[in-house]
Amino acid sequence: MCGRYAASRGPEELTKTFGIRHLDPKETLAPDYNIAPTVPVQAVLERPLKGAAAQAFPPGMPVRQLRTLTWGLVPSWSNSPDGAARMINARAETVHEKPSFRQAFAARRCLLPGDGYYEWVTAPEERDLEERGVRKRPRKQPYFVTPADGSVMAMAGLYEFWRDATLPADHPRAWWVTCTVITTAAETTPLAGADGGEGPQSLAAIHPRMPLVMPPDRWDAWLDPSPT
């Protein structure tokens, strides 16, 4: 899963790394090393621009943008945004068929840049105590998973628009733009620097799920909104 992650790259670095062609300075975020569900996050996506910003591009042309979204997807058909905290992750195996995600998967794919993500592991001896009722709240070991080469971790995501019908159209909160991180089975290949010691030797040894991380040669295809 992906329950928290860190993102410290500034807009200049993200613009260069992802080939951003439009950036609204009002939407940039400060570095955050403990991003939690339901907070604003930065996302890379492609869609046509509107208003004055669209005049610099051919009509209807998808433009790569750095946008601020809210983490926790609210489907367009939802009656309220109350369930957003439960929609922070979408499983790669079923994202194309789940009602909450399939429309976004077909047309609204994005990348969520980060330095890495956090995962917590209950040690076997702690788990045994928990099962025997000796300790009610077992201690968990936190891990920070980050690319070994220091590059940006581009997590595959989806985004969606939701209209709050209780507010007038010109209200600043009339439209919500939310997102989710796609997860997949954790890799079983050895971690960089794995030495066969007592610590976890693979991501699967930390948690059975992990964010679906896109390598740079897949970014264009993933962001292109034309394939459905």
Side-chain angles (χ1 to χ4, degrees):
M1 63 175 296
C2 180
R4 287 180 183 260
Y5 69 98
S8 67
R9 318 292 173 125
E12 296 82 6
E13 181 178 355
L14 294 177
T15 296
K16 181 178 179 180
T17 300
F18 291 96
I20 302 298
R21 302 190 65 187
H22 176 75
L23 168 65
D24 186 342
K26 297 190 298 295
E27 292 199 26
T28 59
L29 299 175
D32 191 337
Y33 296 92
N34 191 22
I35 297 174
T38 72
V39 305
V41 297
Q42 292 196 311
V44 178
L45 56 86
E46 288 187 5
R47 62 182 296 108
L49 291 166
K50 295 182 179 180
Q55 298 178 6
F57 302 94
M61 172 186 173
V63 178
R64 188 165 298 185
Q65 309 167 41
L66 186 64
R67 298 286 301 274
T68 297
L69 314 180
T70 299
W71 187 17
L73 189 137
V74 180
S76 60
W77 42 262
S78 293
N79 293 324
S80 77
D82 294 343
R86 299 191 300 272
M87 298 286 188
I88 62 171
N89 291 161
R91 295 176 67 92
E93 297 85 348
T94 57
V95 70
H96 64 291
E97 60 187 14
K98 291 292 185 180
S100 297
F101 304 121
R102 62 190 180 194
Q103 293 182 1
F105 176 64
R108 288 176 289 279
R109 298 175 294 273
C110 64
L111 294 172
L112 301 168
D115 303 315
Y117 68 96
Y118 299 95
E119 196 56 77
W120 287 261
V121 177
T122 302
E125 59 273 15
E126 292 285 325
R127 191 177 300 113
D128 180 64
L129 291 174
E130 180 185 19
E131 291 173 354
R132 291 192 285 119
V134 178
R135 181 177 289 123
K136 295 182 179 180
R137 298 187 63 184
R139 293 171 295 179
K140 294 188 177 184
Q141 171 67 47
Y143 288 93
F144 182 61
V145 180
T146 187
D149 62 1
S151 61
V152 174
M153 178 179 283
M155 298 179 289
L158 309 174
Y159 68 98
E160 188 59 277
F161 294 91
W162 180 77
R163 173 72 165 89
D164 187 344
T166 66
L167 299 174
D170 58 352
H171 193 281
R173 293 293 290 173
W175 284 96
W176 293 45
V177 191
T178 60
C179 63
T180 188
V181 175
I182 297 180
T183 67
T184 187
E187 295 177 358
T188 58
T189 52
L191 293 167
D195 57 5
E198 295 183 357
Q201 303 297 298
S202 68
L203 291 178
I206 299 175
H207 194 277
R209 305 291 295 179
M210 61 174 279
L212 177 59
V213 180
M214 287 286 182
D217 62 354
R218 300 292 182 90
W219 292 352
D220 291 348
W222 179 251
L223 294 175
D224 184 355
S226 57
T228 60

